Amino acid sequence: MLKLAWLNINRNTHRTLITMTSVLVAVFFCIMLNSVHKGIWNSSINSMLKMTGGHVEIHKKEFVQSKSIDDIMTMNRAAIDSITLIPHVQGVFPCLESFVLISHSSGNTSKGVALVGVVPKAEKQRLGLVTKIIEGKGLTETNRGILIGKNLSGQMKIGVGDSVIIIGKGYHGTSAVGMLPILGILEIPVANIDKSTIFTNLEIAQELFGAHNGYSSIYIMADQTDNVDAIKRNIGKILPAEEYEITDWRTSLGDFIDYSDLTEALGFVIKFFLYLLVGSNILGTIIMQTNERKQEFSMMIALGISRKRLCLSLFYELIIIVMSSVLVASIISFIIVYYFSGHPITLSGESADILLKYSICPKITLAISKELFINQILMVLCICMAVIMYPISVIRHLKVDMCQNKL
C-alpha cells in the first residue's frame, strides 16, 4: 500500500503540489502567528519587569510587610554568584532601597523619595532599554553621585552638578546622612518612578545606610517566562525557605495578568478562525481531488482492490504529503523565527513613542521554543486526520456501476 501511495503521489505532481502548498502555508502561518504573539507577550513582560523588578524577586520575609531598612537581608557574594549560575537565569540584580528626605541648599524644597542603590554595570542591561540619560552621565563603580528623574528635577529645580542633602533612617538605628552630587538626569517612562526615585551606586547606598552586604531585594531576570518556576525551585535549594520569600512576576504584575487573560481569549478566537480557515482550505483541496479521482477509485475497486486497502492507500498518500509539507514549513519558519529571535525588528516614530510611554521596549521579537512547533504541527495533523474522513467516506459508499457508466 505504501508503494501504491508513493506511485499515486508521483503520478500527478500537479495535484500533489496543490495539496502540499495548502498544508505548507497553513503550518507556516500557524507557527509564525503564535511566535509573534508569544514574542510580543514576552517582550512586554520583560520591559515592564525591568522597571518594576524581575521575573523572580527575593526578599527577607519580614521586609515584605514592613518595608523597613531594619528588615533587609544580608547575603555574601558567594550566594549571589550561585544564583547567577542557575540554568535559564539571564541576570541577577541586587539592590538596596529605602525612603529618604532630600533637599537642596539653594531652595526651600524638600521631598521624600526612594533611594535605590544598584550595581551600575548590571543595571545597564535591565534599565538601559527603558530609560535614557538626557543630561549628564551615568553611574559607574567608582563615581559618587545620584541619578534623578526628569520630573523630580523640574519639581525641585535642580540639575546636573547640584548637590543634594540626604537624610534618612539607617540600618539598626543608625542615621543615614550624606551629601551627593547629581551626575545625570533620567527620562523614565513610568511617571511615579520618574518623580519619586533617585538612583546611586549600591556600595554608596550600603555605606550611607550602614548596611554592609545588605540588600532589600534581589531581582532575577529569566530568559523566558516559562522557565520561572524552575528557577524558583533551584533558588529554594540554595536559600532557606524559613528566612526568605521568593516570589515571581505574577505577584507583582497581578493587574497585568488579568489584562493578559483578555488578550489570550482574543488570541484564542483569532487562532480558532485561523485553524478554521486552514481546515477549510485543506478540506476544499481534498474534496476537489477526491471528486476528480472517483472514476479512478471505481476502476481500482472493479479490478479487485478492496475498499479497505484503497482507503489505507489514500491514508498513506495524505500522510506522506502532509508530513513532507509540515517538515518543509517547520524548517522555513524555524529559520525565520531563529533569526528574528536574535535580531528583533526595531520600531520607530509614533509606534515606538506609544510603546515607550507604557514602559515597553519598541522592538518586535519572535519567540522560539519546541512547544511552538510541536503544538502547531499536532494541530494541523489533527485537522488532516479529520479531513481524511471525507475521501474514506466517498470510497466506502462509491457505486462502482454508476462511475463505470461515465467512462
Side-chain angles (χ1 to χ4, degrees):
M1 290 296 101
L2 280 173
K3 184 176 181 181
L4 180 61
W6 183 252
L7 290 173
N8 284 332
I9 290 173
N10 293 320
R11 183 166 56 86
N12 192 330
T13 55
H14 179 70
R15 181 176 64 207
T16 301
L17 287 175
I18 290 176
T19 309
M20 287 188 68
T21 302
S22 177
V23 177
L24 188 150
V25 171
V27 175
F28 175 80
F29 279 105
C30 285
I31 293 175
M32 293 302 297
L33 175 67
N34 283 275
S35 177
V36 171
H37 178 265
K38 192 172 181 63
I40 292 175
W41 164 253
N42 287 337
S43 178
S44 301
I45 290 293
N46 289 338
S47 295
M48 295 184 71
L49 289 176
K50 284 176 180 178
M51 286 303 306
T52 60
H55 288 99
V56 180
E57 299 180 18
I58 303 173
H59 309 274
K60 194 174 179 180
K61 284 195 171 182
E62 294 81 0
F63 182 81
V64 176
Q65 297 296 329
S66 67
K67 301 296 181 183
S68 171
I69 188 71
D70 291 330
D71 292 327
I72 63 173
M73 58 188 166
T74 57
M75 188 180 299
N76 56 38
R77 190 64 205 178
I80 297 176
D81 291 339
S82 62
I83 296 174
T84 307
L85 297 176
I86 293 175
H88 306 297
V89 170
Q90 199 172 49
V92 177
F93 309 96
C95 71
L96 177 58
E97 178 180 351
S98 186
F99 290 97
V100 296
L101 186 70
I102 63 171
S103 62
H104 184 246
S105 58
S106 64
N108 298 320
T109 305
S110 298
K111 185 174 178 62
V113 297
L115 187 147
V116 182
V118 298
V119 179
K121 186 176 181 181
E123 289 298 330
K124 286 181 181 178
Q125 304 174 19
R126 190 165 75 105
L127 296 174
L129 294 177
V130 289
T131 63
K132 61 180 180 180
I133 297 176
I134 59 176
E135 187 179 347
K137 60 182 180 180
L139 296 173
T140 66
E141 280 72 13
T142 56
N143 61 12
R144 297 178 62 90
I146 61 172
L147 299 179
I148 66 173
K150 179 181 177 182
N151 286 338
L152 181 59
S153 172
Q155 287 179 359
M156 298 190 66
K157 295 181 174 56
I158 53 178
V160 175
D162 293 331
S163 294
V164 295
I165 300 170
I166 301 173
I167 302 174
K169 178 185 176 183
Y171 186 53
H172 285 176
T174 62
S175 297
V177 180
M179 179 182 291
L180 294 174
I182 298 174
L183 300 176
I185 297 176
L186 294 171
E187 185 174 29
I188 304 173
V190 181
N192 289 336
I193 299 177
D194 192 49
K195 65 183 180 182
S196 62
T197 306
I198 61 175
F199 298 90
T200 189
N201 193 312
L202 177 60
E203 293 183 357
I204 302 299
Q206 290 174 337
E207 178 186 330
L208 180 68
F209 292 113
H212 180 66
N213 285 337
Y215 309 99
S216 58
S217 307
I218 296 179
Y219 300 114
I220 298 165
M221 297 297 294
D223 54 359
Q224 291 187 17
T225 54
D226 297 338
N227 298 322
V228 169
D229 291 334
I231 293 174
K232 286 178 63 179
R233 287 194 297 271
N234 287 321
I235 294 174
K237 297 175 183 178
I238 299 172
L239 303 177
E242 61 273 10
E243 295 183 25
Y244 299 94
E245 180 168 302
I246 304 169
T247 60
D248 58 32
W249 61 276
R250 300 177 187 89
T251 304
S252 57
L253 295 181
D255 294 337
F256 188 73
I257 295 299
D258 295 336
Y259 168 75
S260 73
D261 292 339
L262 176 61
T263 59
E264 283 289 336
L266 293 175
F268 176 79
V269 173
I270 295 174
K271 291 176 190 177
F272 173 78
F273 283 106
L274 176 63
Y275 291 132
L276 187 65
L277 181 63
V278 168
S280 302
N281 187 23
I282 297 175
L283 179 62
T285 305
I286 296 298
I287 290 175
M288 176 189 68
Q289 295 180 0
T290 302
N291 291 333
E292 288 178 355
R293 298 176 66 184
K294 278 186 177 180
Q295 293 181 354
E296 174 191 333
F297 295 150
S298 175
M299 182 62 68
M300 294 179 73
I301 293 171
L303 291 174
I305 297 179
S306 66
R307 294 175 188 263
K308 182 178 179 180
R309 291 174 64 85
L310 187 58
C311 289
L312 189 61
S313 173
L314 191 63
F315 175 77
Y316 287 149
E317 185 179 334
L318 184 61
I319 284 296
I320 293 173
I321 292 174
V322 168
M323 291 305 295
S324 301
S325 303
V326 165
L327 180 62
V328 174
S330 298
I331 293 173
I332 295 174
S333 58
F334 175 79
I335 294 172
I336 296 174
V337 170
Y338 181 79
Y339 177 81
F340 284 106
S341 65
H343 302 81
I345 302 171
T346 303
L347 301 177
S348 59
E350 186 177 349
S351 300
D353 294 337
I354 293 173
L355 291 176
L356 284 172
K357 182 179 179 181
Y358 293 97
S359 306
I360 298 176
C361 182
K363 293 182 179 181
I364 298 178
T365 304
L366 272 63
I368 183 169
S369 65
K370 60 182 180 181
E371 291 81 9
L372 175 69
F373 294 90
I374 293 174
N375 292 342
Q376 309 316 312
I377 291 171
L378 290 177
M379 181 61 70
V380 174
L381 286 177
C382 289
I383 293 173
C384 292
M385 293 302 100
V387 167
I388 194 65
M389 294 296 105
Y390 175 79
I392 289 177
S393 176
V394 169
I395 292 174
R396 290 176 62 87
H397 299 90
L398 184 65
K399 295 181 180 180
V400 177
D401 294 339
M402 291 182 61
C403 293
Q404 287 179 338
N405 292 335
K406 294 180 181 181
L407 293 174

